[in-house]
Amino acid sequence: MKNLFGSPGKVSGLVLRLGQCFFAASSLGVMAAAPGFSTATTFCYLIASMCLQLLWSFGLACFDVHALRSKRDLHNNIFVSLFVVGDWVTSTLTLAAASSSAGVTVLLIKDTNACRMERKFSCDMFQVSVGLAFVSWFLLAISSYVMFWLAATA
Amino acid sequence: MKNLFGSPGKVSGLVLRLGQCFFAASSLGVMAAAPGFSTATTFCYLIASMCLQLLWSFGLACFDVHALRSKRDLHNNIFVSLFVVGDWVTSTLTLAAASSSAGVTVLLIKDTNACRMERKFSCDMFQVSVGLAFVSWFLLAISSYVMFWLAATA
């Protein structure tokens, strides 16, 4: 069970965490660079949520590097319980942020034509940022379920 | 492990499923009755998602009633795997629908003042519907984690 794909202290776990960092940072960067993002509260919430996910995933990636270098086993109950709670909270917040931003983007592009009528919005960048946030959430959801499986079978 | 709170074929599981049905039906009813909901795609998606959750939770509540009446054990691997996948899909869709609707509601009320300027929107009803959808998602998330725990420890 300790050799499960994506478990902490394994190369696959590190790759998953680095992927989460990369997509969260990309989503954050694209949204922060998009003109007019501050008009909608939900885009600001996406930025805050991506910051939180970036910090969490980067912290766990550092943990994985430390465990791989020192060949230390991270599969004890305290670590796994902490990872389960943290992953669950961040994945829920990330999905909520990505979905709410997707809802607002669809409203601006399709329902109200605000993107065509007002030049201050950069709707293409909003779409790219939301897409990257969903990829980041998907990778985090995998980690989250692996951690929960490890906790349940500990 | 079979006596876990909210597991299938138990009274607590039935209560949880009936709660999900009640809140999903309430959210669906309030949103469908709110004037102007069809303006935003995300509110239509909330209705579709609540319909799906209502059908799923009602189906499982019927299963629970049948199991309680016939005293049949639902804790076999095929049932639990099916419940895990179904619960995961519906809870993800419900959270996405509730969050996207919340994002659009905040945009209409706070960011653009559309609720005050245009009388065709019933923003109070949008808020109530979104709140009920979040409660429904929370109950479904509990069921989802209980099922996953049962699958992991089977």
Side-chain angles (χ1 to χ4, degrees):
Chain A
M1 196 50 67
K2 288 184 181 179
N3 290 319
L4 206 65
F5 174 84
S7 60
K10 301 281 162 201
V11 176
S12 56
L14 178 62
V15 170
L16 217 51
R17 294 294 172 190
L18 290 177
Q20 291 160 21
C21 287
F22 173 76
F23 286 105
S26 308
S27 171
L28 172 64
V30 172
M31 185 55 86
F37 83 87
S38 58
T39 315
T41 308
T42 189
F43 293 146
C44 301
Y45 169 52
L46 182 78
I47 288 180
S49 174
M50 287 296 116
C51 274
L52 177 74
Q53 200 206 309
L54 185 60
L55 287 173
W56 174 256
S57 296
F58 185 72
L60 291 200
C62 291
F63 245 115
D64 284 341
V65 169
H66 171 69
L68 282 167
R69 278 190 151 196
S70 61
K71 297 189 176 172
R72 209 180 142 195
D73 189 11
L74 290 180
H75 292 83
N76 73 53
N77 281 351
I78 299 170
F79 276 129
V80 171
S81 306
L82 186 76
F83 295 163
V84 166
V85 176
D87 271 347
W88 190 78
V89 171
T90 44
S91 73
T92 305
L93 290 179
T94 303
L95 178 60
S99 304
S100 58
S101 299
V104 171
T105 307
V106 170
L107 188 86
L108 292 176
I109 295 175
K110 192 171 159 285
D111 301 332
T112 61
N113 272 330
C115 289
R116 283 189 199 164
M117 286 153 64
E118 292 203 43
R119 292 278 163 208
K120 67 173 179 174
F121 296 125
S122 176
C123 292
D124 290 341
M125 288 171 85
F126 296 160
Q127 281 176 291
V128 172
S129 175
V130 168
L132 290 166
F134 272 112
V135 176
S136 177
W137 163 75
F138 183 72
L139 296 177
L140 190 58
I142 296 172
S143 288
S144 168
Y145 276 91
V146 169
M147 292 297 167
F148 195 75
W149 192 273
L150 285 172
T153 54
Chain B
M1 196 52 65
K2 288 182 181 179
N3 290 319
L4 205 67
F5 173 85
S7 60
K10 301 281 161 198
V11 177
S12 56
L14 177 62
V15 170
L16 217 51
R17 295 292 172 193
L18 290 177
Q20 291 160 21
C21 287
F22 173 77
F23 286 105
S26 308
S27 171
L28 172 64
V30 172
M31 186 55 86
F37 82 88
S38 58
T39 315
T41 308
T42 190
F43 293 147
C44 301
Y45 169 52
L46 182 77
I47 288 181
S49 175
M50 287 297 115
C51 273
L52 177 75
Q53 200 204 309
L54 185 59
L55 287 173
W56 174 255
S57 296
F58 184 73
L60 292 200
C62 292
F63 245 113
D64 284 340
V65 169
H66 171 70
L68 281 167
R69 279 191 151 194
S70 61
K71 297 190 177 172
R72 210 181 141 195
D73 189 10
L74 290 180
H75 293 82
N76 74 52
N77 281 352
I78 298 169
F79 275 129
V80 171
S81 305
L82 185 76
F83 295 162
V84 166
V85 175
D87 270 347
W88 191 79
V89 171
T90 44
S91 73
T92 305
L93 290 177
T94 304
L95 177 60
S99 304
S100 58
S101 300
V104 170
T105 308
V106 170
L107 188 86
L108 292 176
I109 295 174
K110 193 174 158 283
D111 300 333
T112 60
N113 272 329
C115 289
R116 283 189 200 163
M117 286 152 64
E118 293 202 43
R119 292 279 163 208
K120 68 174 178 175
F121 295 125
S122 176
C123 292
D124 290 341
M125 289 172 85
F126 296 160
Q127 281 176 292
V128 171
S129 175
V130 169
L132 291 165
F134 272 112
V135 176
S136 176
W137 163 75
F138 184 72
L139 296 176
L140 190 58
I142 296 172
S143 287
S144 168
Y145 276 91
V146 168
M147 291 298 168
F148 195 75
W149 191 274
L150 286 172
T153 54

